[in-house]
Amino acid sequence: MSSQRSHVPHYLMIAPFVVLFAAFFLYPILSGFYYSFHDWNGVEVPRFVGLANYEKLLGSRDFSRAMWNLVVYISITVPVGILVAFGLALLVDSFTGRWASFFRNAYFLPVVLPAFLAATIWRWIYAPNFGLLNMILGWFGLPSVNFLNDTGTMIYALIAVDVWVSAGFNMVILLAGLKNIPAELYEAARLDGANKWQQIVHITVPMLGPIMFFVITYSIISAMQVFDKPWLLTGSSFSEYGGRRGALLFPVMDMMGRAFGEVRFGEASAYGFLLTLAIVFLTMVTFGIRKWRERS
Amino acid sequence: MDIRRSFLSTVSALVAVGWAGIAAAQEKTLEYWVYSDFAQGDALALQQEFIKEFTAKHPGVKIEIIGKGDADLTAGQIAGAASGNVPDVFMNGIGTGAQLVEVGALANVYDKWMAMPEDYRNQFNKSAIANCTPEPQKMYCLPYTGYGSLMFRNLTVLKKAGIDPSTPPATWEEWLGQMKKIKEAGMFAIPDQALVFNSIAEMYAISGDVSTWGIDWDSRKTRIDPAVMEKVLQKFVDIAPLNSGTSRNDQATKDLFVTDQLAFHTVGPWVNSTYLEAEKNGKLKYDFVLIPGDTADKRGGIQNYEIVGVAPGENFDISWEFASYVTAKEQMARWAKLLSRYNSNAAAMAEPEVASLPLIARSVESVGYAMDVMPPYLVKAVPSCYSSTVVDIVSATADGEYSPAEGAKEIVAELNDCLAE
Amino acid sequence: MSVSARRNVTVWTVLKWAVAIMVAVIAVFPVWWMVNVVFSLPGEPVSINPRLWPTSMSAGIDKIRMIFAETAYMRAYAVSLAYAGLTIFGVLLVGSLAAFEFALFEFRGKNVLFAVILLSLMVPTAATIIPTYLLTSSLGWLNSMQGLVVPGLASAFGLFMLVQFMRAIPRDMIEAARLDGANHFQIYWFVALPLSRNAMITLAILTFMQTWGNYMWPLIVGTRPDMYTVGQVVGLFNAPLSHQTVDVVMTANLLAAIPPLVFFLIFQKQIVEGIAMSGTKG
């Protein structure tokens, strides 16, 4: 059918996007890829070094630590964050009128805060001995925990902050999706005798399919690029970052440190592309799972 | 009608551009990047006075002052160097000097420096000048503001623990004894010094000095002496049960001090504005002294500097003139009086009105003993694994994972690995 | 209704309200704490006692007034608002045009192109920021609004999101419009866009948040104070070794959070009202 119509209108419509994309995304990506094979400090002529940057990174202890932290981080924060966001979306959806607005706005508030503010607030909540959380622990007679400096708890402290912010973000997207589900479907199901839980499983979840897929995929992609929260929670600077024993060292942070701290842009680019490979791999897995579910 | 309008607008645009071009040829605008707090309030007013005085003597020169936070200065200067847009005169910490030299943001001002009259050159603190001159014939900056570590003492806490605050502790042993008494009285003695590289350096200086600190770039090895490091690590073990769990830079540490729960705060002078406010509210009684060393004639603590750099390029000459004007004795004295902060123009520091300010007097004293944080400067960019290795192993030793002897050996071995890459 | 059914409804309702309020407290309390820090006397300890109420309204107002007077905060608001507004307009326009095609039609090269665009989402911004900056600089766009806005317009995030939402548009509506004689663009404008209203508003809100919080890019593109965004002005206060007292720092940060909040409140209403009018669940 489509071969009968001209393709020109399609290309015209996507042209603005594609042109801007090619200039400001494709070209810098290819450029960065080119530089990853060079030793470059931004000013002098880049010196070709082949795979040297990649070899150095793959053998570097910091790289392994950053990647391991990333795996742990993503495997917890994405599922937890999305479940919480979905729960919140359902919760808000079950209220109407003023109360719905009130709760929706309250849950979105953390998203609105500048990252520095959120990090400062949480540093105080987590402070040892007299921070809010430790005060509460004290009421129950439990000893103080140094959340942001104990290598056993740091990554979980970070995940809590991340869920606090991302739940509101994802909730808003899921809410828009929920609002798009026609009320008649729920009416029909109720008349058929389905209870709330059955309605959620058989109507809400399937109808939210494409949007949930988007939220999951985007959450994975952005979680893999985590930077500002661990950076701010550990009071990092370009000469010292990643927290105690690098427990909050993540790939993008390491990359920025090599770019602006040591002025090695070639190495930083190589880092970026190794990370990209990991992200691509994970995303393809997600797409693959979806295709497999669609088929069955 | 449309064609005529667009023709006219094109012509007027061309004229405007041409006019601006002519004007630009006659007028130079220098970009002057400073730390964010120098671009606010009274500090900004004084800087603008300097600018006004300078431009009055140099007609046709405009200077635009731009304030930025610390990391932003570096990121902006590096990005600017990459695109050919480096600011003409700018500040940064001396620790980032090496990166800036590498990207060509800092011009070699040695010839200009030597062309200045001798009494100008003698105004400056000699070791600060040496820091800016990594090799003969190569000088990359003018030292500007700086600090020496101070030890703030909460007098109420000391009295509650039964310590007489009238004489500060003269040696490490005496100080440790006082800290133990404070812990017994139920309060925190000191922040956790193992959390931040600079506080570790401050502790190192209690036992060691600059000859066993820093990096030897020729052999790419650390200069740290394991024997000295072992003594220092023992100190960290000693204070582990006595500290507050927060670092010297945390807001929480300042709060503990202000609410009489922390006795000693070893840090730079910038916290004084907070403590002064609390004192004015009637809530805090404090003073500041020097960090004691192992022996009565030694002191701990570090010194660190900010620098003024000049970019190479077409504005180099006039930029140097401005930089040397701002760092001259008269201006530095006015600067110090306003901010009550130490700077590296020794002649300015010696002026009676300046020297009588307590914060400055104590800072001058501190700098006389204090150790450089990361020497040698302006040679090569220090890899980030260096500071993080030091922090990691010191904290691990304080936690009991290594004995001080093992920890010292680990540090030296891993630092040499880090530098070898 | 039987007695047990009535009781079930009550239990469920109580539980629902309890959870909702608890979560609201967790979400809001930290921010409320910050507000109390702002409205308190300087020099008071801020992190030790959780602040349950403001202690000094006048001190807070003084601080706010000082910040507006001493920094070019108002100008930064203007710059940030322009940056966000132009970006939203551009992203929505360019993105929806393209999403319309990718969601609803087939054409040669579509899958490859979409895959490439998605791939770009997976390259961390940090890896491309320097080459993008150099390109922007060579176009002469440093320290200009177009330098800030244009590089961000081809948002793969926006495209991806809109495609997922537009997939739900019924094909028969499109066929019907075509049979009515509408050309391609008119179908987009009169059929697809109105049906994607929720998605567009949501994307507008999220783009606003992302632009407002964007730090690195404005930092290196807008180096002169007249192009400072709110993020950069706040950055002046956040320098860790700054001589400012902490409550002033917090005031500057809180002032930065107000426009996104207002923006969100205004536009969230739109979604709810939009649904009520179209008669779907609301």
Side-chain angles (χ1 to χ4, degrees):
Chain A
M1 182 172 73
S2 53
S3 53
Q4 287 174 341
R5 296 200 188 85
S6 158
H7 286 258
V8 171
H10 300 306
Y11 293 127
L12 274 181
M13 299 277 274
I14 66 174
F17 188 92
V18 171
V19 166
L20 285 170
F21 178 78
F24 292 104
F25 283 89
L26 215 48
Y27 168 73
I29 291 176
L30 293 173
S31 205
F33 191 58
Y34 168 78
Y35 286 127
S36 71
F37 297 107
H38 294 72
D39 185 9
W40 187 44
N41 66 3
V43 178
E44 294 167 8
V45 175
R47 191 172 56 96
F48 183 73
V49 292
L51 290 173
N53 287 331
Y54 289 96
E55 282 170 4
K56 175 173 171 198
L57 284 174
L58 288 172
S60 141
R61 199 174 24 161
D62 272 351
F63 181 78
S64 329
R65 185 151 42 185
M67 283 304 188
W68 173 249
N69 286 343
L70 194 61
V71 168
V72 173
Y73 173 71
I74 293 185
S75 53
I76 304 178
T77 199
V78 172
V80 171
I82 292 183
L83 275 173
V84 171
F86 185 51
L88 288 182
L90 290 175
L91 190 61
V92 170
D93 203 37
S94 71
F95 289 95
T96 50
R98 271 235 198 89
W99 284 112
S101 299
F102 171 74
F103 285 119
R104 184 190 62 221
N105 299 339
Y107 301 155
F108 195 70
L109 197 55
V111 181
V112 156
L113 292 181
F116 181 82
L117 197 51
T120 310
I121 297 174
W122 279 94
R123 284 183 75 163
W124 293 352
I125 295 179
Y126 282 136
N129 299 318
F130 43 78
L132 186 63
L133 270 183
N134 279 311
M135 253 180 42
I136 297 178
L137 284 179
W139 296 341
F140 291 102
L142 295 166
S144 157
V145 178
N146 202 336
F147 291 99
L148 289 178
N149 253 302
D150 185 341
T151 50
T153 56
M154 282 161 87
I155 201 160
Y156 302 105
L158 171 67
I159 290 175
V161 177
D162 186 63
V163 170
W164 184 72
V165 176
S166 74
F169 185 89
N170 288 325
M171 176 198 78
V172 159
I173 301 179
L174 291 173
L175 255 182
L178 283 180
K179 299 283 181 200
N180 274 353
I181 302 177
E184 304 86 60
L185 288 179
Y186 289 106
E187 279 305 313
R190 202 174 306 145
L191 289 174
D192 273 350
N195 67 23
K196 273 236 165 42
W197 180 251
Q198 288 169 326
Q199 288 176 35
I200 293 178
V201 169
H202 292 278
I203 300 180
T204 316
V205 172
M207 291 296 287
L208 266 188
I211 294 166
M212 185 60 99
F213 176 71
F214 167 71
V215 166
I216 294 176
T217 312
Y218 186 69
S219 293
I220 293 179
I221 292 177
S222 81
M224 290 200 76
Q225 300 180 39
V226 63
F227 169 64
D228 55 359
K229 290 190 201 69
W231 178 268
L232 293 169
L233 282 173
T234 53
S236 302
S237 68
F238 284 131
S239 51
E240 255 186 86
Y241 49 83
R244 185 129 166 183
R245 313 292 228 111
L248 286 187
L249 182 67
F250 289 100
V252 174
M253 192 193 285
D254 206 8
M255 190 162 65
M256 294 294 254
R258 287 167 202 261
F260 289 101
E262 297 173 40
V263 203
R264 286 180 161 168
F265 290 114
E267 209 175 289
S269 281
Y271 212 124
F273 283 97
L274 285 173
L275 184 62
T276 307
L277 280 177
I279 298 179
V280 167
F281 174 70
L282 255 187
T283 313
M284 283 176 40
V285 167
T286 327
F287 270 80
I289 293 181
R290 171 168 163 249
K291 272 222 158 57
W292 170 76
R293 289 192 66 207
E294 273 177 5
R295 221 164 277 157
S296 66
Chain B
M1 188 54 171
D2 267 297
I3 299 179
R4 204 189 323 159
R5 213 186 305 155
S6 60
F7 174 75
L8 276 177
S9 56
T10 318
V11 167
S12 49
L14 279 174
V15 169
V17 167
W19 201 253
I22 296 172
Q26 292 172 335
E27 190 183 75
K28 279 182 188 278
T29 304
L30 300 183
E31 267 195 38
Y32 176 37
W33 285 22
V34 303
Y35 281 94
S36 54
D37 38 351
F38 297 168
Q40 290 167 350
D42 295 334
L44 175 63
L46 185 53
Q47 287 284 341
Q48 281 168 334
E49 257 191 67
F50 294 161
I51 292 176
K52 221 174 18 160
E53 292 159 12
F54 183 79
T55 50
K57 288 193 231 145
H58 295 87
V61 175
K62 259 183 57 178
I63 301 182
E64 203 184 322
I65 179 169
I66 299 175
K68 286 185 185 293
D70 311 28
D72 302 347
L73 279 173
T74 312
Q77 284 156 13
I78 292 182
S83 69
N85 284 311
V86 193
D88 301 288
V89 181
F90 56 93
M91 299 183 186
N92 210 319
I94 193 165
T96 48
Q99 287 97 299
L100 294 175
V101 170
E102 238 193 89
V103 298
L106 287 172
N108 182 354
V109 298
Y110 184 74
D111 293 331
K112 292 280 192 194
W113 168 255
M114 292 309 285
M116 299 294 284
E118 199 172 329
D119 53 317
Y120 171 81
R121 284 183 275 132
N122 284 339
Q123 289 174 3
F124 290 84
N125 177 316
K126 296 265 182 288
S127 63
I129 291 291
N131 280 336
C132 275
T133 317
E135 289 171 47
Q137 314 278 333
K138 289 220 164 86
M139 180 171 167
Y140 289 111
C141 53
L142 283 169
Y144 195 58
T145 43
Y147 75 89
S149 299
L150 296 172
M151 180 159 81
F152 288 80
R153 307 190 304 160
N154 183 318
L155 304 173
T156 318
V157 173
L158 292 182
K159 287 202 202 111
K160 244 203 288 188
I163 300 170
D164 174 13
S166 52
T167 40
T171 63
W172 164 254
E173 284 304 321
E174 212 185 302
W175 189 24
L176 185 61
Q178 289 188 359
M179 288 201 262
K180 290 197 178 131
K181 268 186 150 159
I182 289 165
K183 171 73 182 198
E184 278 164 28
M187 294 169 285
F188 299 113
I190 192 175
D192 186 347
Q193 302 286 71
L195 292 178
V196 170
F197 183 80
N198 283 7
S199 60
I200 294 178
E202 279 168 345
M203 296 284 287
Y204 188 89
I206 297 177
S207 302
D209 60 39
V210 74
S211 63
T212 58
W213 186 249
I215 300 175
D216 179 354
W217 285 110
D218 292 326
S219 62
R220 292 197 80 101
K221 285 199 184 325
T222 175
R223 297 212 292 241
I224 293 182
D225 178 350
V228 176
M229 196 68 210
E230 192 183 328
K231 260 203 289 186
V232 173
L233 286 173
Q234 181 59 48
K235 296 182 166 56
F236 281 99
V237 173
D238 290 338
I239 63 173
L242 312 171
N243 73 53
S244 69
T246 54
S247 86
R248 98 207 220 292
N249 293 335
D250 272 340
Q251 174 60 31
T253 304
K254 285 194 265 190
D255 289 343
L256 285 175
F257 192 84
V258 163
T259 52
D260 298 336
Q261 295 179 62
L262 178 67
F264 299 107
H265 189 184
T266 51
V267 71
W270 50 85
V271 302
N272 194 50
S273 40
T274 307
Y275 294 160
L276 209 50
E277 287 280 340
E279 193 183 55
K280 271 195 274 188
N281 289 342
K283 296 216 175 103
L284 178 66
K285 290 197 187 20
Y286 76 104
D287 72 359
F288 41 87
V289 298
L290 299 189
I291 302 175
D294 275 342
T295 53
D297 57 340
K298 191 164 179 9
R299 298 278 181 274
I302 53 173
Q303 51 179 319
N304 207 352
Y305 289 98
E306 286 93 45
I307 55 171
V308 171
V310 175
E314 52 177 31
N315 291 336
F316 177 56
D317 297 323
I318 191 75
S319 301
W320 165 258
E321 285 204 43
F322 180 64
S324 52
Y325 179 74
V326 166
T327 52
K329 175 176 75 166
E330 296 75 24
Q331 281 66 257
M332 291 297 250
R334 291 149 73 187
W335 189 241
K337 250 193 301 191
L338 176 70
L339 295 184
S340 204
R341 270 182 74 180
Y342 172 81
N343 63 54
S344 18
N345 191 309
M349 293 296 97
E351 291 217 348
E353 279 186 2
V354 174
S356 60
L357 294 169
L359 204 53
I360 292 196
R362 194 68 60 229
S363 300
V364 172
E365 211 193 320
S366 170
V367 168
Y369 294 97
M371 185 178 81
D372 284 313
V373 180
M374 187 63 95
Y377 298 110
L378 295 165
V379 179
K380 283 204 179 42
V382 178
S384 63
C385 53
Y386 194 87
S387 14
S388 45
T389 304
V390 171
V391 172
D392 285 351
I393 299 185
V394 170
S395 347
T397 312
D399 282 348
E401 271 183 53
Y402 298 104
S403 75
E406 289 166 359
K409 270 202 289 236
E410 264 299 297
I411 286 187
V412 173
E414 288 209 23
L415 285 180
N416 288 340
D417 272 348
C418 163
L419 289 170
E421 273 184 13
Chain C
M1 205 190 294
S2 67
V3 171
S4 58
R6 225 182 297 140
R7 210 179 292 143
N8 270 349
V9 167
T10 319
V11 166
W12 172 250
T13 320
V14 167
L15 201 56
K16 185 175 82 166
W17 277 89
V19 170
I21 292 183
M22 208 171 60
V23 175
V25 167
I26 295 178
V28 174
F29 179 73
V31 183
W32 174 239
W33 186 359
M34 295 310 311
V35 173
N36 295 334
V37 168
V38 169
F39 289 96
S40 66
L41 293 168
E44 279 194 12
V46 291
S47 68
I48 301 201
N49 313 306
R51 296 302 190 77
L52 294 175
W53 53 83
T55 52
S56 167
M57 293 302 285
S58 59
I61 296 181
D62 276 340
K63 271 171 262 187
I64 295 176
R65 203 180 301 148
M66 180 206 69
I67 289 186
F68 276 120
E70 290 205 6
T71 60
Y73 217 101
M74 277 310 209
R75 198 196 155 82
Y77 269 155
V79 171
S80 283
L81 280 173
Y83 174 38
L86 288 170
T87 305
I88 290 175
F89 176 71
V91 164
L92 254 51
L93 181 64
V94 167
S96 62
L97 280 172
F100 176 64
E101 298 299 328
F102 281 109
L104 299 170
F105 299 94
E106 298 296 325
F107 48 90
R108 194 137 34 118
K110 162 181 153 168
N111 287 332
V112 172
L113 201 50
F114 196 61
V116 169
I117 294 175
L118 272 194
L119 268 171
S120 82
L121 208 52
M122 304 176 215
V123 179
T125 341
T128 54
I129 198 170
I130 289 288
T132 316
Y133 166 75
L134 291 175
L135 174 63
T136 312
S137 165
S138 61
L139 286 170
W141 282 358
L142 286 187
N143 280 308
S144 72
M145 192 52 79
Q146 60 266 31
L148 272 183
V149 173
V150 175
L153 287 183
S155 160
F157 167 75
L159 180 69
F160 189 19
M161 180 175 152
L162 287 177
V163 164
Q164 296 303 96
F165 272 88
M166 281 195 181
R167 282 231 174 110
I169 295 178
R171 303 302 162 101
D172 33 321
M173 291 196 72
I174 299 184
E175 277 308 307
R178 183 167 293 138
L179 290 173
D180 272 348
N183 71 25
H184 206 64
F185 185 79
Q186 285 169 327
I187 300 179
Y188 155 78
W189 191 259
F190 290 110
V191 177
L193 274 192
L195 286 176
S196 314
R197 201 192 134 105
N198 281 356
M200 300 274 277
I201 295 181
T202 308
L203 182 59
I205 294 176
L206 295 178
T207 309
F208 190 95
M209 301 302 153
Q210 283 177 332
T211 326
W212 195 265
N214 208 354
Y215 192 70
M216 256 342 245
W217 181 248
L219 172 68
I220 53 179
V221 171
T223 55
R224 305 169 69 107
D226 54 343
M227 282 304 291
Y228 273 5
T229 57
V230 169
Q232 286 175 268
V233 172
V234 167
L236 296 180
F237 289 89
N238 289 345
L241 304 183
S242 145
H243 284 219
Q244 295 284 6
T245 51
V246 69
D247 48 338
V248 172
V249 174
M250 286 311 134
T251 314
N253 275 277
L254 256 179
L255 288 174
I258 294 181
L261 185 60
V262 168
F263 189 88
F264 170 72
L265 290 174
I266 295 176
F267 281 89
Q268 268 288 290
K269 267 186 73 171
Q270 296 263 0
I271 294 190
V272 178
E273 279 167 14
I275 307 312
M277 284 197 295
S278 66
T280 41
K281 191 166 178 9

